[in-house]
Amino acid sequence: FIIIEDVSDQAEVGRHRDEWRMMLAHDFRAPLTIMHGTLRAMQDLGAGHPLSADDCDLLDNAVRNSRRLDDLIELFLETTRLEDGAMPIQATGVNVDLLLREIVREEAPVAKAHGLKLTIGAASALTARADPELLRRATTNVIENAVKFTPSGGTITVDSAPDFGSVLIRISDNGTGISPRDLPRIFDRFSQGENARRGHGLGLGLAFCRAAMNAMGGDISAESEEGSGSVFTLRLPVMSGVEAKP
Ligand SMILES: Nc1ncnc2c1ncn2[C@@H]1O[C@H](COP(=O)(O)OP(=O)(O)OP(=O)(O)O)[C@@H](O)[C@H]1O
Ligand SMILES: [Mg+2]
């Protein structure tokens, strides 16, 4: 048999589906903003009359979740814009070690609250060409995943290394790991592994990371052994002719 598939049609269908999702995500935001604003206004009334302490707890929960939904929609729209090359990138020289130290300082209390140790390993002393804000968000996303998928008592290490004209940022954990079946799909939008808890997350974080790294001329990859842990590697071009200052 020879099987011939009309891939041009499939690409067309994929494009339409993406446009449709973009419109839907965009249109979700207006009513959500109103809901969020209304909930915040009620929250400002505070406990006492007409709200009981229990009412306030319910409201806090609703506010938190409407904000989370808004963040997820924003993440989806940004990922799609990055993939389409429609989001401006502010590339500049980034002192990778300095940025990693800042991120680790910010995330360390979160890790500690989960009973995890978050540490800095080897440093590369290199300047990468990157959008500092996008790189910060991509790295933070990967660290937050490591926190989420590493049981209490575990360790997360962040290090950087030079590699033939590139800077590598590595985030290693000794958590649950990822099954070989899930590994090829983790960077796809709305893809979550079997280790993800139902109702927690949408599977957008790593899709955003991949889109951000590609938009900066880099990439992201993962290696993992189920039950032992994972290593995520973010690669960026070195800013040529520049040495990072200590
Ligand atoms: N450090 C890690 N250890 C084990 N599994 C991981 C790790 N990082 C990612 N994964 C797997 O990859 C999947 C996709 O990750 P991604 O960040 O895109 O989604 P998520 O964290 O489940 O949800 P969201 O990021 O939208 O809140 C996860 O559901 C999980 O199965
Ligand atoms: Mg995630």
Side-chain angles (χ1 to χ4, degrees):
F1 283 109
I2 298 176
I3 300 170
I4 299 170
E5 272 188 283
D6 187 351
V7 286
S8 64
D9 258 11
Q10 279 178 13
E12 185 72 4
V13 169
R15 238 187 331 274
H16 278 314
R17 197 166 45 211
D18 270 1
E19 279 166 18
W20 183 82
R21 280 181 179 161
M22 280 284 273
M23 267 166 53
L24 199 64
H26 189 266
D27 290 353
F28 275 169
R29 293 199 90 182
L32 184 60
T33 306
I34 296 170
M35 269 168 62
H36 189 74
T38 311
L39 290 168
R40 288 299 304 273
M42 288 172 76
Q43 206 177 26
D44 285 345
L45 292 174
H49 291 291
L51 296 176
S52 69
D54 279 353
D55 291 340
C56 285
D57 285 348
L58 288 172
L59 260 179
D60 288 349
N61 200 16
V63 167
R64 224 179 7 258
N65 281 288
S66 64
R67 185 177 305 128
R68 173 145 170 77
L69 186 55
D70 193 50
D71 287 348
L72 285 171
I73 292 173
E74 175 69 13
L75 199 61
F76 171 76
L77 289 171
E78 275 182 332
T79 304
T80 309
R81 275 190 219 115
L82 280 166
E83 284 171 355
D84 292 349
M87 198 158 122
I89 303 293
Q90 311 288 338
T92 172
V94 176
N95 180 327
V96 172
D97 298 326
L98 199 63
L99 182 76
L100 293 182
R101 277 205 295 275
E102 273 174 28
I103 296 173
V104 165
R105 202 178 310 129
E106 263 169 38
E107 294 296 313
V110 184
K112 198 170 171 208
H114 286 80
L116 300 166
K117 210 171 129 196
L118 174 62
T119 58
I120 292 259
S124 66
L126 284 172
T127 299
R129 184 157 47 78
D131 182 316
E133 206 34 51
L134 265 189
L135 178 58
R136 174 191 296 276
R137 288 176 59 198
T139 309
T140 303
N141 248 297
V142 175
I143 293 177
E144 286 178 354
N145 275 347
V147 168
K148 189 156 65 167
F149 296 106
T150 305
S152 176
T155 305
I156 300 160
T157 309
V158 182
D159 64 26
S160 70
D163 184 58
F164 300 106
S166 298
V167 190
L168 305 182
I169 297 173
R170 278 186 305 237
I171 295 115
S172 323
D173 68 62
N174 55 1
T176 63
I178 304 162
S179 81
R181 222 164 52 98
D182 291 333
L183 197 56
R185 286 198 304 266
I186 54 169
F187 295 103
D188 295 344
R189 279 184 284 176
F190 305 114
S191 169
Q192 291 190 285
E194 51 204 33
N195 56 355
R197 278 198 291 151
R198 292 249 160 274
H200 287 253
L202 276 183
L204 273 177
L206 287 180
F208 169 80
C209 293
R210 180 173 65 180
M213 295 310 293
N214 290 347
M216 292 188 286
D219 58 43
I220 178 169
S221 57
E223 292 159 71
S224 185
E225 200 171 321
E226 214 175 357
S228 301
S230 313
V231 182
F232 283 79
T233 306
L234 285 68
R235 177 191 296 273
L236 284 166
V238 169
M239 189 82 163
S240 50
V242 187
E243 275 291 312
K245 293 181 186 64

